[in-house]
């Protein structure tokens, strides 16, 4: 499989936290599991669901994925301010940047600036009940697939 997400070259080196409870080998392993049917229209941001497709499965999945990654691998979540005032979320783990959902931007991905200047918190993001419920759904689907 050809990987195109930000940080894919180092993702196999990023291991889960010892006490996270998830049986995954690496961040690359998580990407594979999420790509294999866990990212779906129900986990996509509602405003983007009409554009979601299997070909663009990372669309509308950034914040819930970034906070799930933080649960499993630690690190920090940062955001890139987008037109309209929303943030596109990504992770920094051990000083390295990872964005498992960057493919949703297609050719525009090359113009995103990952400068770690906008820290994001789950308390702010999860004030939106629908987003919190999508996060819980994503987490539940992952646990189900992993048999935990």
């Amino acid at each position: 499989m050809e990987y195109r997400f930000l940080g894919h070259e180092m993702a196999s080196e990023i291991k889960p936290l010892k006490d996270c409870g998830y049986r995954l080998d690496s961040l690359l392993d998580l990407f594979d599991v999420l790509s294999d049917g866990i990212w779906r229209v129900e986990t996509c941001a509602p405003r983007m669901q009409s554009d979601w497709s299997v070909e663009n499965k990372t669309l509308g999945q950034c914040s819930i994925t970034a906070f799930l990654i933080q649960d499993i691998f630690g690190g920090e979540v940062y955001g890139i301010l987008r037109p309209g005032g929303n943030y596109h979320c990504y992770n920094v783990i051990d000083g390295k940047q990872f964005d498992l959902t960057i493919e949703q931007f297609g050719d525009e991905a090359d113009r995103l600036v990952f400068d770690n200047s906008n820290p994001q918190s789950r308390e702010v993001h999860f004030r939106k009940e629908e987003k919190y419920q999508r996060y819980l759904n994503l987490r539940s689907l992952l646990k189900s697939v992993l048999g935990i």
Side-chain angles (χ1 to χ4, degrees):
M1 170 185 253
E2 179 185 347
Y3 298 101
R4 296 186 308 264
F5 66 87
L6 179 68
H8 69 271
E9 310 89 349
M10 303 166 285
S12 63
E13 301 167 17
I14 303 300
K15 304 300 181 188
L17 300 169
K18 288 183 176 72
D19 60 352
C20 74
Y22 292 84
R23 292 190 302 257
L24 293 161
D25 292 328
S26 68
L27 186 58
L28 191 63
D29 189 26
L30 176 63
F31 180 84
D32 289 340
V33 173
L34 292 172
S35 295
D36 196 24
I38 292 179
W39 279 320
R40 51 184 70 173
V41 70
E42 297 86 17
T43 58
C44 177
R47 69 183 187 284
M48 300 174 168
Q49 286 181 351
S50 63
D51 295 323
W52 188 91
S53 68
V54 173
E55 293 76 31
N56 193 2
K57 62 184 83 178
T58 64
L59 181 70
Q61 311 282 346
C62 72
S63 64
I64 62 172
T65 300
F67 289 115
L68 184 62
I69 290 169
Q70 187 180 45
D71 293 343
I72 300 169
F73 298 94
E76 302 298 328
V77 176
Y78 290 94
I80 299 169
L81 186 59
R82 304 286 299 144
N86 293 311
Y87 282 91
H88 171 68
C89 294
Y90 64 96
N91 299 81
V92 175
I93 305 167
D94 295 335
K96 300 173 185 121
Q97 297 172 330
F98 298 93
D99 184 351
L100 271 59
T101 65
I102 195 171
E103 292 178 60
Q104 68 182 298
F105 295 107
D107 294 339
E108 185 187 351
D110 293 337
R111 294 188 297 276
L112 296 176
V113 178
F114 295 84
D115 62 7
N116 305 351
S117 64
N118 295 299
Q120 302 295 297
S121 76
R122 62 185 64 224
E123 292 78 20
V124 170
H125 280 267
F126 293 162
R127 282 185 197 145
K128 292 181 180 177
E129 183 64 22
E130 65 77 17
K131 188 179 286 190
Y132 181 61
Q133 291 304 316
R134 287 187 301 110
Y135 161 80
L136 292 176
N137 188 18
L138 187 72
R139 188 175 71 176
S140 176
L141 290 165
L142 178 62
K143 286 181 176 184
S144 178
V145 166
L146 296 177
I148 53 176

